[in-house]
Amino acid sequence: MSTTPLTASLIDLAARGQLPLHQHMDHATIAWISDNKPDLPPATRLAMRPQSKKLLAHGGLPTRWWADPRLYTSLHGVRHAMRTAALAAVLAEANSLDDADTATAVLAAAVHDCQRRHDQDDRGHGARAAIWLAANADTVWVHFGLTATSRRIVQAATAVRLHDIPYEAFTADDTSDHARTGRITDVVKAADALDRYRLPKLKWWPNSSYVREPVFDQLRALAFDLVLVSERAYLAGASGPEAVRYALAEKGLL
């Protein structure tokens, strides 16, 4: 079965171990997410540099960038991409990345899942997305109002390739590539992990032990709120990009 049955929620399907290949948010699941909000300190207002706000304004990515258009609205689609890009921008600020590294991290975070084949454990999707990004670099950089350079393409593609490989599984080549990206790969991996509050099992929610990011726990409340607000807006009828922009504006990130 390739799509979620209309009569079953993701939370019910996850409990039965029957999640389909293509998973779409539903009212029962977002209610369950809200009911299970962790005991976190309130999300604080964060200062965002003008360049980052400009990048996030370009976050509504084209459907054609996804390998399977059915994934554009799924749990790994445009809403996840935009929230991950926003969280990457926040993490870049926290790590005092310069404008160039911040832009590279945001761009990589935005496209990190675009070559997924489904919403389950699609191993190798990072490598496929990295190849796609390198082949379509000019198109992607122009979309964000940027100019591609060889160094930035390599850094972004490397971060995308490594995002779905656990640190403990890095090969010697992975470790060498990781070192050449500076903090960019760490930011992308942490941003992706922070957006896991959308997933329909508590054990899949953010876990700082899998990332290398000192401020990870401080951003949990923001990450949770971005999921809750944007997914509710989407289910209320907003488009994916509109729903995430609404959530970002509410948090002062646009």
Side-chain angles (χ1 to χ4, degrees):
M1 190 164 197
S2 62
T3 56
T4 306
L6 295 178
T7 56
S9 68
L10 289 180
I11 185 63
D12 288 337
L13 291 168
R16 300 200 300 261
Q18 296 176 350
L19 282 169
L21 289 176
H22 301 97
Q23 301 163 23
H24 298 270
M25 187 58 70
D26 57 82
H27 291 282
T29 298
I30 199 63
W32 173 85
I33 291 171
S34 178
D35 290 343
N36 283 278
K37 182 174 183 176
D39 184 15
L40 300 168
T44 56
R45 291 270 177 183
L46 299 160
M48 183 70 69
R49 72 182 77 175
Q51 186 224 34
S52 293
K53 289 187 176 183
K54 191 173 181 180
L55 290 172
L56 296 181
H58 291 281
L61 309 179
T63 307
R64 65 180 180 277
W65 287 11
W66 266 257
D68 185 337
R70 290 174 293 181
L71 291 179
Y72 187 76
T73 56
S74 81
L75 291 192
H76 291 92
V78 68
R79 301 188 307 285
H80 170 56
M82 292 178 67
R83 289 191 302 262
T84 304
L87 291 165
V90 173
L91 287 162
E93 295 282 349
N95 283 278
S96 300
L97 268 61
D98 62 21
D99 282 353
D101 281 356
T102 296
T104 302
V106 170
L107 186 151
V111 302
H112 74 283
D113 273 349
C114 72
Q115 295 302 293
R116 270 184 166 272
R117 293 169 178 156
H118 51 73
D119 286 304
Q120 293 185 355
D121 185 15
D122 182 11
R123 297 190 179 184
H125 69 272
R128 294 195 301 272
I131 293 169
W132 178 90
L133 177 57
N136 294 275
D138 286 337
T139 297
V140 176
W141 263 260
V142 168
H143 176 85
F144 284 91
L146 301 169
T147 300
T149 67
S150 296
R151 179 168 180 262
R152 294 302 172 185
I153 294 169
V154 169
Q155 287 181 316
T158 300
V160 169
R161 183 181 75 78
L162 294 176
H163 90 267
D164 63 338
I165 303 176
Y167 285 110
E168 63 271 17
F170 274 14
T171 65
D173 286 343
D174 293 338
T175 300
S176 179
D177 287 347
H178 171 263
R180 285 194 287 267
T181 68
R183 293 287 294 154
I184 294 170
T185 293
D186 294 334
V187 162
V188 172
K189 288 172 78 69
D192 184 31
L194 278 167
D195 196 51
R196 294 179 68 86
Y197 287 116
R198 74 197 191 283
L199 301 180
K201 272 195 176 183
L202 293 178
K203 70 177 183 179
W204 295 336
W205 282 15
N207 186 332
S208 60
S209 67
Y210 296 114
V211 298
R212 297 177 181 174
E213 180 46 63
V215 302
F216 187 85
D217 287 334
Q218 298 172 38
L219 297 179
R220 286 176 180 269
L222 170 64
F224 184 90
D225 289 349
L226 288 178
V227 167
L228 198 64
V229 173
S230 60
E231 294 298 329
R232 280 175 169 168
Y234 176 70
L235 290 174
S239 71
E242 289 170 345
V244 179
R245 288 193 185 106
Y246 174 75
L248 295 177
E250 184 181 272
K251 294 299 177 184
L253 298 178
L254 275 185

